[in-house]
Amino acid sequence: MKCDNCQAVLSGEPTCPACGTLYTVSGGGGSIPSLVQELETRLARALEGRYEMRGLLGHGGMGAVFLAAETSLDRLVAIKVLPPTLSMDEELLSRFQREAKT
């Protein structure tokens, strides 16, 4: 199997070893982003009571963005999550933090 983004050979991990793009696996009626699904489950648990997860807005090489309702302020927010496999890369982590600040 090859990465849709850069055409590198995928190694069985949920992200491309060359560019970090999340890739999907087949399942139950369509394509399911396995790592994204895991991230959403963990995020929902971590933010329970403060945010209500509404679904995936998008995903790519830098992670996934979810739509959530912030319960205390009754507003919709976007929450971006960096995959655990990429959070160990200091340069990517720094870029992610700079993006969050902007």
Side-chain angles (χ1 to χ4, degrees), residues 22-65:
L22 301 174
Y23 67 91
T24 60
V25 295
S26 293
S31 222
I32 300 172
S34 60
L35 181 58
V36 172
Q37 189 174 29
E38 180 184 336
L39 287 173
E40 183 173 16
T41 301
R42 288 182 180 187
L43 188 59
R45 247 183 278 142
L47 301 176
E48 190 173 0
R50 295 174 48 207
Y51 297 89
E52 179 185 309
M53 301 304 292
R54 297 286 175 91
L56 178 69
L57 290 174
H59 66 89
M62 279 294 288
V65 180

Side-chain angles (χ1 to χ4, degrees), residues 9 12 15 17 19-22 25 30 33-34 36 44 46-47 56-57 64-65 79-80 83 85-86 89 101:
V9 175
T15 57
C19 69
T21 297
L22 301 174
V25 295
S34 60
V36 172
L47 301 176
L56 178 69
L57 290 174
V65 180
I79 300 174
K80 187 169 186 177
T85 55
L86 299 180
D89 183 317
K101 288 178 183 177

